[in-house]
Structure formats: structure tokens, C-alpha cells
Amino acid sequence: MSTTGPDDQDTAKPSFRDSVTAGLVQKALEPLLRAVREEVAAARREVSARAKGARTGLVLTGAAVAFALTTLVLLAGFVVALLALALPVWAATGITLVVFAVVTGVLATVGVRGIRRGVPPVPKDTLRAAKDRVARTSDEAARD
């Protein structure tokens, strides 16, 4: 023979007060959750747009590098030929090599700094907007 006490009935069915509390909490969190979902979607769109622009830029930069290398080889040959009119060929080649190496070093240093500034692609605008929106929503929920 089994007896049921008041504790058995409480675990089977939530009380009215618990239901009301859960409803109020859900109602209070709903605007915050909606805001978070919208900000995550905005961040995805922003990162996607930046990545698409970067991809196009990388393709065009690759083509430009190919043309630049060809131009650079021709320029080096031209400079060596001009200097060879006044100096021995080995000296003309050495001078040209040193000048091109210095320019390459400067360009590489500046390029690496630029890449470090852009990587990783963080949706800064969306993060700032999300923080503002969460603060606003929290303030509104605190007033209600």
C-alpha cells in the first residue's frame, strides 16, 4: 500500500507562482534574446561582406603582383644595361641588386604591418552596436 504525501504532488505539477515567475522571466529575457540574435546575424553579414571584398582584392592583387614582377625584371635589366655603359657588368648588377633588395625590404615591412591591422576580420561596428543595444535593453528591463 502506497501513500502519497504533499511532496509527491508538488513535484508532479508546478505551482501557480512558479509558472508566473517563469513567464515573467521569459517575458523579460525575450527582448534581450531577440537583440542578441539580431546582432549575431548582423555580425555574420558584416564579416561576410568584408571577406567578399577581401577575396576580390586578393585576386586583383595577385594579378598585379604577376605584372609587377615582369615589370621589375625588365626594369632591372634596363638599369643593369645603363650602368654597364659606365661600369663593369658585375658592378652594375651588384648596385642594381642592392637597390632592389632595400626597396623590397621596405615594401615587405609596410605590407606586413597593414596585414596585421586587418587580421582577424572582427565586426567592430556590430560589436559596438550590440553592446549599446544590450545596455539599452538592460536599462529598459530594469525600469519595468
Side-chain angles (χ1 to χ4, degrees), residues 46-64:
E46 185 177 347
V47 169
S48 175
R50 287 184 183 206
K52 187 180 290 186
R55 182 178 41 228
T56 303
L58 285 173
V59 169
L60 293 175
T61 301

Side-chain angles (χ1 to χ4, degrees), residues 13-74:
K13 187 176 181 185
S15 69
F16 176 73
R17 187 174 68 189
D18 291 340
S19 298
V20 169
T21 303
L24 289 174
V25 169
Q26 183 178 2
K27 191 174 185 180
L29 288 178
E30 190 175 314
L32 181 63
L33 292 174
R34 187 178 329 114
V36 168
R37 284 187 201 109
E38 290 173 3
E39 294 303 332
V40 167
R44 283 184 182 155
R45 286 190 302 271
E46 185 177 347
V47 169
S48 175
R50 287 184 183 206
K52 187 180 290 186
R55 182 178 41 228
T56 303
L58 285 173
V59 169
L60 293 175
T61 301
V65 166
F67 279 98
L69 289 174
T70 304
T71 304
L72 195 60
V73 168
L74 292 172

